[in-house]
């Protein structure tokens, strides 16, 4: 579970960074899509951190 948590953390962090970057570099309506994607990717990264530090949390 720790490897999955680390993978989720890395992918969530990268997804958040890309979504914030894309929000500022694309016009409407795609910027709204990326703005909605950023918090979702952040939640994915936080779930990954929970799996890393509390391995039996979800199972």
């Amino acid at each position: 579970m720790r490897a999955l948590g680390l993978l989720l953390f890395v992918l969530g962090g990268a997804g958040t960074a890309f979504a914030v970057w894309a929000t500022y570099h694309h016009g409407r309506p795609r910027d709204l899509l990326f703005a909605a994607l950023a918090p979702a990717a952040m939640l994915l990264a936080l779930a990954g951190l929970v799996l890393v530090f509390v391995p039996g949390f979800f199972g």
Side-chain angles (χ1 to χ4, degrees):
M1 285 304 247
R2 286 187 184 224
L4 176 63
L6 188 60
L7 179 68
L8 286 176
F9 174 66
V10 169
L11 290 177
T16 302
F18 174 74
V20 169
W21 176 84
T23 298
Y24 288 108
H25 287 87
H26 291 285
R28 292 220 187 247
R30 287 192 299 176
D31 67 335
L32 296 176
L33 174 72
F34 289 122
L37 181 66
M42 180 61 76
L43 288 176
L44 187 70
L46 289 175
L49 282 178
V50 167
L51 283 176
V52 167
F53 291 111
V54 187
F57 187 77
F58 291 120

